Amino acid sequence: MVRPLSRTAWAVMLLCIAGAAAAQTTPPASSDPSNARPRIGLVLSGGGARGGAHIGVLKVLEELRVPVDVIVGTSAGSIVGSAYASGLPLKDIETEMQGLSTSTLFHDVSREDAPYRRKADDAINYLGPEMGLSMGGLSLPKGAVAGVSLEAVLRRLTRRQSSTNFDRLPIPFRAVATDLASSEMVVISQGQLALAARASMAVPGAVNPVEIDGRLLVDGGLKRNLPVDVARQMGADVVIAINIGTPLLKRKQITSLLSVTDQVLRILTDANVEQSLKELTPRDVLIKPDLKDISSSAFDRLGEASQQGELAAREASAQLARYSLSEVAYQAHLASRARTESQAAQTINEVRVVGTRVVNPEVVLAAMETKAGAPLDPQQLDRDIKRIYSRGDFESVNYTLTEEPGEGRVLIAEVTEKSWGPNFLRFGLSLSSDFEGNSFFNLLASHRWTWLNSLGAEWRNDVQLGQTDRLMSEWYQPLTERQRAFIAPRLELADEPFDLYNPDNDKRLARFRRQSSEFGLDVGTPLGNGGEARLGVVRGRSRFTDDTSFIPASDLSTRVQVGGVLARLRVDSLDSLNFPRSGYAGELRLFFSRPDLGADDAYTKAALALQGATHWGPHALRAAVRAGGNLKDGSLPAHELFKLGGFLQLSGYKTGQLLGTDMRFGRVVYNYRLSGPGFLDGMYAGASLEAGRISDLALLGATPKTRRGASLYFALDTPIGPFYVAYGVGDGGNRAAYLFLGQP
């Protein structure tokens, strides 16, 4: 006889049956130990160029097989973090960043990309930034650089991004920025990785803020330079924090407005880092590389920073080893975050420009090489973006790729016109002195009013006061949206010194003033970005007036009527006009003076100027030639004489000491770069050898002869232009010391 089961026995039996059923319906636990391990968050702090240390730390983490489940980055940390999170191999990140330098990151406009009209501005020694002119007064840009070059680098580093949701990246990622309006910390979790990283490192005053979702964002280091709390919010059980923050300046290092501003930013950053360090627990790992004297702006030393990061991570290897996986488990972890990429080129179905107000979007499209129906070429697209920005109309230029129903793949060029435009004002200054009483200076104000119609008409006015007084006004009118042809009526008034020297020594005998007025109407065509050709008619007059002289100006020349046809061909592919290291430039100018067009004299004046440069390492060699004269029989009138003399124009002779109607000149200049380029171009030591022949000095009866000059100089790129200290020698005991600011 079976006794009935007790209630307790029935309960035990039911629990056993339920457990067996659960065992049959629940998958067995994975043999991958990562299911049992803590979730690890990598926190990469900001620090500018010191961010190279993050690469060294990541190297060691991979060697030790330490998994990374989430990444949070601020500023420089967002650059390395976004690239690594997107799946770009560490060796590729290192290769891309090896090519970075301060000069490439913080020089948005390459002369190669700039249209010729903007290149020509380099001959003017501008002071300070371009300003906006409006009824409300003057306005300034929001940063020293726009970050276009930086964004091109970031796009290459994040080229593997396959989703705009940062949680769907191979490693979930967050970039930290600061809302400039509200001062709130902003955690960016979606969108373009490159733009997120760019916003996270937009140092106030140095780099333009970035607008995302209506918020104006700047460097995240102001609020959270070591965002440990953000990693916790993403589910990190263990935090590996790399702190590369820049230490506070010492008292003796605070010597200027720039260093005071720098120190204020460091204080803000240091305060929030101290708070973040208090949030670390004994399970977490803090790595602080010894970056010594590597400054936040020394992007040329990224390799050194990487080595220091690797060294610091190895010193912490005992702590990191606690989270190391077996080879099998680590490979399984890597496989779980891998993404399959399509290698097929993406075809663009439509190209669209958005964000314009006064700029004609069709003109922007015409400037792009990327066209609808062609495969996407990221490098070509980066060149397009730089070319569009180099036009001078936009505060920022970016692009996105979208899939639109019925439209296909659409490339959207997103532009933001300059908030301080379309009326622009700049000021300039040039000066020189030979320490013997011959000192010259010129002050310049330049005004541009752009996009006066849909084809891009521009009205430009330049006013110069000083050694030479000049007023120039030109209306530049493109004739098509592609801007392949233009007309340009112009007016120019000038009043400049005209000196006569004793041909037997360097004593000035007299100074007159040469006054001229000229109206011209040109038609022309740009030669790509590298040049311009013009042909036009000219009408005007010229005369000499008294200044300091033993003879009246009327004995030198009477009022002369000017009229004729002017042809000009100009090319410029130099990488820099101040200190060129590659490329060439030249100008050919022909003026056909004709009585039937109102001129008093018939002559054909030709002037040719050519220069080129090459370099090897820190050495650069430049060569230049100039020539001019009358292509017809006879001499040129007094107001058309050529000049030689002055620094690099037959050094040792006085500025404008030699006058003539026929001129030949050549020089070779050697530059040695004493310091690498950074925010500025650098420091140089240099020397020149020069030779020239200026003939038919009929005014004083001098005998034409070949003259020689040479110089030694020290040059410095400064915020107010190239600055030279030089000493020159010439034939016949001519000697001169020069202090020179501007283009020689």
Side-chain angles (χ1 to χ4, degrees):
M1 181 175 180
V2 180
R3 298 178 59 184
L5 294 174
S6 67
R7 291 183 178 178
T8 301
W10 277 109
V12 171
M13 184 181 294
L14 289 173
L15 286 173
C16 291
I17 294 172
Q24 292 177 357
T25 58
T26 303
S30 171
S31 60
D32 184 353
S34 63
N35 282 349
R37 67 173 176 81
R39 185 172 172 84
I40 296 176
L42 184 64
V43 176
L44 308 178
S45 83
R50 297 158 69 92
H54 294 318
I55 296 175
V57 174
L58 284 168
K59 259 188 209 176
V60 177
L61 292 181
E62 289 190 350
E63 286 179 16
L64 296 176
R65 301 188 299 277
V66 176
V68 175
D69 299 298
V70 298
I71 299 177
V72 185
T74 295
S75 195
S78 69
I79 296 179
V80 178
S82 60
Y84 196 67
S86 69
L88 192 65
L90 190 56
K91 66 180 189 314
D92 290 353
I93 298 175
E94 192 169 22
T95 299
E96 288 284 359
M97 297 192 73
Q98 280 174 351
L100 301 186
S101 67
T102 307
S103 59
T104 57
L105 285 176
F106 294 99
H107 287 74
D108 285 317
V109 178
S110 165
R111 294 193 89 244
E112 179 183 359
D113 299 317
Y116 181 81
R117 286 175 60 75
R118 299 286 77 84
K119 288 180 182 179
D121 289 344
D122 292 346
I124 302 171
N125 199 50
Y126 285 123
L127 301 176
E130 174 187 74
M131 294 177 285
L133 181 64
S134 66
M135 296 298 292
L138 297 177
S139 54
L140 292 169
K142 300 184 184 74
V145 296
V148 173
S149 293
L150 175 60
E151 282 187 34
V153 172
L154 295 174
R155 281 192 291 270
R156 292 199 301 271
L157 284 167
T158 58
R159 59 182 179 266
R160 288 200 174 190
Q161 180 180 11
S162 56
S163 173
T164 56
N165 184 340
F166 296 174
D167 282 333
R168 295 180 181 173
L169 297 172
I171 304 176
F173 171 75
R174 298 289 185 272
V176 175
T178 302
D179 188 321
L180 190 58
S182 68
S183 83
E184 296 174 338
M185 177 180 72
V186 177
V187 179
I188 307 173
S189 61
Q190 60 183 1
Q192 298 180 61
L193 274 172
L195 196 61
R198 157 87 168 75
S200 181
M201 67 169 300
V203 180
V207 183
N208 279 357
V210 176
E211 185 172 342
I212 297 179
D213 297 333
R215 306 183 97 170
L216 206 57
L217 304 182
V218 294
D219 197 308
L222 297 175
K223 295 299 292 185
R224 200 79 83 250
N225 202 48
L226 191 68
V228 172
D229 56 335
V230 178
R232 301 275 192 223
Q233 294 165 11
M234 295 179 71
D237 303 308
V238 171
V239 168
I240 300 174
I242 297 95
N243 182 16
I244 59 162
T246 309
L248 296 177
L249 295 172
K250 304 295 184 184
R251 170 64 183 84
K252 63 181 181 181
Q253 295 175 299
I254 305 174
T255 58
S256 66
L257 175 62
L258 290 176
S259 58
V260 169
T261 304
D262 184 23
Q263 183 75 333
V264 170
L265 293 175
R266 295 186 190 210
I267 290 171
L268 292 172
T269 300
D270 189 65
N272 67 65
V273 167
E274 287 300 318
Q275 179 58 42
S276 295
L277 291 175
K278 294 176 183 178
E279 299 169 6
L280 296 175
T281 70
R283 298 183 68 192
D284 302 324
V285 181
L286 174 65
I287 299 174
K288 189 173 182 180
D290 182 7
L291 297 172
K292 301 174 184 176
D293 62 339
I294 300 177
S295 71
S296 60
S297 61
F299 285 90
D300 307 275
R301 302 179 66 184
L302 285 168
E304 294 177 54
S306 178
Q307 292 173 3
Q308 292 302 316
E310 184 176 346
L311 180 62
R314 294 197 188 284
E315 291 175 352
S317 58
Q319 294 172 276
L320 294 172
R322 293 179 295 175
Y323 307 110
S324 178
L325 299 180
S326 68
E327 183 64 33
V328 173
Y330 188 66
Q331 291 304 320
H333 166 74
L334 294 180
S336 70
R337 74 186 197 194
R339 294 289 186 270
T340 301
E341 293 184 275
S342 171
Q343 300 301 316
Q346 299 176 314
T347 299
I348 303 300
N349 300 108
E350 182 185 350
V351 181
R352 192 182 301 161
V353 176
V354 299
T356 58
R357 292 182 293 109
V358 298
V359 177
N360 184 347
E362 295 301 321
V363 174
V364 178
L365 286 172
M368 298 179 66
E369 294 178 0
T370 302
K371 305 296 182 184
L376 175 65
D377 182 342
Q379 292 182 342
Q380 182 186 72
L381 191 49
D382 280 340
R383 291 194 299 270
D384 284 339
I385 295 301
K386 283 193 173 185
R387 190 181 306 109
I388 293 169
Y389 178 79
S390 298
R391 292 178 55 87
D393 299 315
F394 302 111
E395 186 173 339
S396 66
V397 183
N398 206 339
Y399 71 84
T400 57
L401 280 170
T402 63
E403 293 282 349
E404 295 187 5
E407 299 291 341
R409 187 172 290 107
V410 179
L411 170 66
I412 300 176
E414 300 172 333
V415 301
T416 302
E417 294 179 12
K418 289 179 176 178
S419 57
W420 58 97
N423 260 299
F424 303 106
L425 184 65
R426 295 199 74 173
F427 295 99
L429 168 70
S430 64
L431 60 86
S432 68
S433 173
D434 62 6
F435 302 101
E436 294 184 5
N438 294 304
S439 299
F440 309 105
F441 78 94
N442 289 299
L443 296 173
L444 175 77
S446 180
H447 165 254
R448 288 192 307 124
W449 191 352
T450 63
W451 288 97
L452 292 163
N453 56 43
S454 63
L455 295 179
E458 176 180 306
W459 185 26
R460 175 167 183 152
N461 299 284
D462 291 330
V463 178
Q464 179 176 297
L465 299 173
Q467 178 198 19
T468 299
D469 298 333
R470 177 173 284 114
L471 169 65
M472 191 279 291
S473 182
E474 179 184 74
W475 181 285
Y476 182 86
Q477 178 63 66
L479 300 178
T480 66
E481 288 181 341
R482 298 184 66 83
Q483 299 189 332
R484 298 292 175 83
F486 62 86
I487 58 172
R490 57 186 176 82
L491 173 68
E492 184 170 356
L493 307 175
D495 185 335
E496 58 186 331
F498 186 88
D499 296 335
L500 295 182
Y501 285 83
N502 188 325
D504 298 322
N505 54 47
D506 61 356
K507 302 302 181 183
R508 190 173 69 193
L509 299 176
R511 166 168 287 181
F512 303 100
R513 302 294 297 184
R514 180 168 58 185
Q515 297 178 343
S516 61
S517 58
E518 180 179 294
F519 173 79
L521 177 63
D522 297 340
V523 296
T525 180
L527 305 175
N529 286 335
E532 181 183 83
R534 290 191 180 209
L535 182 66
V537 293
V538 175
R539 283 287 286 120
R541 62 181 60 183
S542 177
R543 68 168 185 162
F544 288 92
T545 60
D546 295 322
D547 191 321
T548 53
S549 172
F550 62 94
I551 60 173
S554 57
D555 290 351
L556 182 68
S557 174
T558 58
R559 185 187 300 267
V560 177
Q561 296 295 322
V562 177
V565 176
L566 177 63
R568 284 178 288 175
L569 174 64
R570 295 181 284 186
V571 294
D572 186 348
S573 68
L574 292 172
D575 62 333
S576 166
L577 198 59
N578 293 337
F579 304 104
R581 291 168 59 80
S582 64
Y584 59 87
E587 179 177 8
L588 174 62
R589 183 186 180 101
L590 297 172
F591 179 60
F592 305 90
S593 178
R594 294 293 179 266
D596 53 353
L597 291 176
D600 289 337
D601 302 295
Y603 57 89
T604 301
K605 181 182 180 181
L608 174 68
L610 295 172
Q611 64 171 310
T614 186
H615 74 281
W616 60 100
H619 311 276
L621 196 64
R622 292 184 281 158
V625 294
R626 290 171 52 203
N630 187 0
L631 297 183
K632 298 182 116 185
D633 293 335
S635 62
L636 296 172
H639 70 277
E640 291 279 30
L641 294 179
F642 295 97
K643 291 183 178 182
L644 275 180
F647 178 47
L648 297 184
Q649 308 292 331
L650 283 182
S651 301
Y653 290 88
K654 303 298 183 184
T655 301
Q657 177 177 339
L658 306 172
L659 293 170
T661 61
D662 189 78
M663 179 268 294
R664 306 287 185 272
F665 172 76
R667 74 174 178 228
V668 176
V669 179
Y670 166 76
N671 270 340
Y672 180 77
R673 177 174 267 165
L674 297 170
S675 69
F679 291 106
L680 302 176
D681 193 71
M683 293 189 297
Y684 297 87
S688 71
L689 294 175
E690 307 143 30
R693 181 181 180 87
I694 189 160
S695 60
D696 194 20
L697 291 167
L699 290 171
L700 296 172
T703 302
K705 63 180 181 180
T706 299
R707 302 167 189 264
R708 296 172 180 84
S711 71
L712 294 173
Y713 63 83
F714 170 78
L716 178 66
D717 183 29
T718 76
I720 57 174
F723 175 76
Y724 295 84
V725 177
Y727 184 75
V729 297
D731 295 320
N734 285 283
R735 301 287 187 272
Y738 301 99
L739 191 68
F740 207 97
L741 177 68
Q743 277 287 331

